[in-house]
Amino acid sequence: MVLLTPLIVMAPPFPTAFHTFFPFIVGKALYARTLTEIALGLWLVLSLRYPAYRMPRSRLLLVFGVYIVVTFAAALAGVSAQRSLWSTYERMIGFVDLAHWFAYAVVVASVFRSWADWRALLNVNLVVSVVMGLLGLSQHFDLGILAYLETGKRLDITLGNPTYVGGYMLVNVLIALGFLGRSYLGAPRPDVMPTRRRRRARSRRAAGRGEGFSGLEFAIFWVAAALLSVFILDRVRSAYADGRTGLTLAAIAFAAEASVFVVSYVFFQRQREWTWRIFWTATVLLDVWILYLSGTRGALMALGVAIIAFSVGYLLWGRQRLLKQLSIALVATVVALTVIVVLTRNTAPFQRLADSSFMLFRIATFDPGGESVGGRIISIKVGLQGFAARPLLGWGPENFAILHDRYITAEMVAHSTVSFDQAHNKPIEELATKGILGFAAYAAIWLYMLRIIVRRARDQGAQDQVFTMLVGAALAAYFVQNLFLFDTPGTIVQLMLLVGFVAYLETAGQAESDISHGPLEAGPALIYLRSSASFALALAAMAALVVAAILLINYPPFHGTTAVLDTLKRPGITLEQRLEIFDDAIGAFPPQANYLRIVMYNQLISNWRSFSEPEARAALAMADKEGQEAIAAEPQEWRLYLPLSTVFHLGSALDSSYVARARALVERATRLAPDRIEVNLHLVRLRIFEKDYGRAQESLDSYLERNPRAAPQFEGLQREIDRLTDQ
């Protein structure tokens, strides 16, 4: 069920009570957390009673555990332990979530101890990717199946961002290729029909009547079925504007095809392998198509790197001559395509192709100095500066935004106005936020996985070898993709699944030789552990702990974000009702309340003119109280200072003492992020508000000298200063 995480979106068709801020992120994280806690509790009881399911003797999991410990130390030593532990509603990938994913990897590696187990689990993951792909096609063809699947130039489907889609599909393409390659390198299935029945079948085929399907006939059947599905989808798109009708017809079409698949799998025993081959082939084609439609250049590059990594590995250690020849061809193809694209992307023919493909358009318009690439280069430079300032344990997980805005210069802002809360480069993120210790532990995980894959691939037979190498290629692809991105609740499940499989590779020898699914052997000291009473007690204790965890760390943030969303959906509510909702939401889960406080400040600012004096004083009191708690929790987060200072500016008409407090907040923000455009705009507004027009002009001129490109953002303030000065 955890593998369904990428499909979770807290928006319609879920009831309104389940809608949250950042619906593509919050629901996924809380869903995965909850199921992981349940699985962990059940596994602890299982491993107590059945030793075969205890944690395997895996050095990979040990190294991963060291990384978790270092991450926790970095969180406590960072500039905001609260943010490091819990992250924000926008990301939901702090230490607490990372610890849950580590627990998930441990449980998966402990319970799935044979190839049959992993074959089933990884195929379920492929099925989820197919569902994701079909939803992507519905978005591409604008079928109106789900409200949030809005048609655009790129697909984001249920992940909320096209780059996440590219990373997710990337892993599944390579896993499906692994299954497909493995199926062709296995020993042929023996013919289990009795001799007399074989003779009868041959005579019937000779007479033209036949019996069952041949592999080729089966393949043709499924290709025809797939084409029929695409045709139906296109007819639905063109003939029905009503999303409900489109959903019904599409569901009927796919349910019918799925039913035929199941029936054929059950009744045509001899064709099962062909059925799976067609499924894996369809998965590869669909997922590559969706990756392409996502327009994610990093994912396309990572796919090319994965193909080269597999090919080089197979040339070194592969056992099949034909595959070695294919590997040479693959490397040559990737290199040739890369050279062709580089040489022709500025030509007229390529530009014409780019007009009909957004992926090609993004390749054709690639600019190292552009906003996207330039922002990433700047984040690398700033991240290295942050690492130099705190080299041992860094600034703390999830605190990259603080160091980014501390060290970014006006010249850098002129090239990229985006404020990065993640480095968009995982190694730099680890260096900057966890220091050299965290980076070393993170690198150790990847290096040890590489060692396991290489060692196992050298020893395995041709069938297992190709799958292991393609899993290694999937890991390489994920790593390369994360040189331009970061982990998210929708994509990290793919990494943890691969980590679990590599742990299985590491321990497969000892696991399959001595695994026993029976209960503990009887013994004087263990009799009680075998009893029904101890089993019931363990289940009850774990159930209580899991329920407590859900109620204490999962439900409160969910309640907080759904409650605040209610203030936006009910614009007619009174200020007293609004403040009560905010007080309830903020108090529900203080560790993640600062985002909700910023939402509250912005709502107070936008509605201030409608407040009576008693309401304005109540709003000021609420903002003051929550502001003190927010700054105490994250004193170096400048985004908390600016909206609070605006509220204080507005409130100074009631109490002049708020002027000085507003000024102190702006000056503090200026020290924390001296070259951010937003901070300098606010500083100029402060000078104008205080009628110090000379200093306002001085602040404006000083910033524009450092960042001339920001002149358009300051034009309105310049006119305001000129008008007030003339008066």
Side-chain angles (χ1 to χ4, degrees), residues 580-602:
E580 285 179 359
I581 293 174
F582 274 114
D583 188 57
D584 174 48
I586 291 170
F589 197 66
Q592 285 186 294
N594 277 353
Y595 177 82
L596 306 183
R597 291 181 174 115
I598 292 175
V599 174
M600 180 186 72
Y601 299 151
N602 290 332

Side-chain angles (χ1 to χ4, degrees), residues 284-354:
V284 170
L285 295 176
L286 176 62
D287 288 0
V288 168
W289 188 9
I290 298 301
L291 186 156
Y292 186 81
L293 292 175
S294 74
T296 308
R297 293 174 299 199
L300 191 63
M301 175 182 170
L303 181 59
V305 171
I307 292 171
I308 291 175
F310 167 78
S311 300
V312 171
Y314 204 84
L315 286 171
L316 291 175
W317 304 298
R319 301 183 184 282
Q320 293 288 325
R321 183 179 177 183
L322 180 61
L323 269 183
K324 286 190 174 186
Q325 295 172 345
L326 178 61
S327 297
I328 295 173
L330 286 173
V331 172
T333 301
V334 172
V335 172
L337 286 175
T338 303
V339 171
I340 290 171
V341 168
V342 170
L343 295 179
T344 64
R345 72 187 189 95
N346 293 321
T347 63
F350 193 95
Q351 296 294 329
R352 285 195 293 271
L353 289 174

Side-chain angles (χ1 to χ4, degrees), residues 190-199 201 205 211 270:
D191 193 339
V192 297
M193 286 194 300
T195 303
R196 183 176 300 175
R197 187 179 172 190
R198 287 202 302 272
R199 291 172 180 169
R205 285 195 295 271
E211 181 178 300
R270 297 180 63 199

